[in-house]
Amino acid sequence: VQLVESGGGLVQAGDSLRLSCVASGRTFSIYNMGWFRQAPGKEREFVASITWRGRRTYYADSVKDRFSISRDNAKNTMYLQMNSLKLEDTAVYYCAAVMDGRSWNQGSWGQGTLVTVSS
């Protein structure tokens, strides 16, 4: 499956932003999907994930209650609604797709979209 992220940009602290990840190539609905991010000088970290039917979601503690992950299988698209953005949310955000039972490292990854939060 091929993944393309969009929606990144420059925002101020406290603003909101919605990222999208569009999948193509294979049946989107069979994949668990996730968002990861990598800040300058840091390792890539988990942000949020959603199971293939959308019934369960998981969040990193740092974004819980501020970010919301969702998916629309009819549109082959996953979203990340980011509210109350903080300076430390600045990073390149990647979406990933993995079949159930496999690790994220075994999945497909997008090229990333940059989110910059300024004061």
Side-chain angles (χ1 to χ4, degrees):
V1 63
Q2 290 76 47
L3 305 172
V4 178
E5 306 95 334
S6 64
L10 174 63
V11 296
Q12 291 189 323
D15 285 352
S16 297
L17 205 59
R18 188 176 81 158
L19 305 183
S20 299
C21 173
V22 178
S24 62
R26 296 194 67 177
T27 305
F28 174 74
S29 60
I30 68 174
Y31 290 92
N32 295 328
M33 300 293 296
W35 288 98
F36 292 75
R37 67 186 182 186
Q38 186 167 19
K42 295 187 177 181
E43 294 186 352
R44 189 176 298 186
E45 65 175 1
F46 170 79
V47 175
S49 66
I50 186 167
T51 53
W52 62 283
R53 288 183 177 176
R55 292 180 178 177
R56 287 177 290 171
T57 58
Y58 305 91
Y59 296 93
D61 288 342
S62 60
V63 306
K64 199 173 296 184
D65 299 327
R66 297 189 299 122
F67 290 11
S68 178
I69 189 171
S70 61
R71 66 189 294 165
D72 185 339
N73 286 347
K75 295 182 178 179
N76 287 0
T77 303
M78 174 181 65
Y79 305 97
L80 183 68
Q81 178 66 43
M82 305 185 294
N83 299 327
S84 302
L85 282 162
K86 303 177 180 180
L87 297 179
E88 52 264 41
D89 294 320
T90 294
V92 177
Y93 285 71
Y94 300 89
C95 69
V98 66
M99 296 192 73
D100 206 33
R102 297 186 178 181
S103 69
W104 292 108
N105 290 336
Q106 297 174 295
S108 299
W109 292 78
Q111 292 301 304
T113 185
L114 176 62
V115 174
T116 303
V117 183
S118 65
S119 58

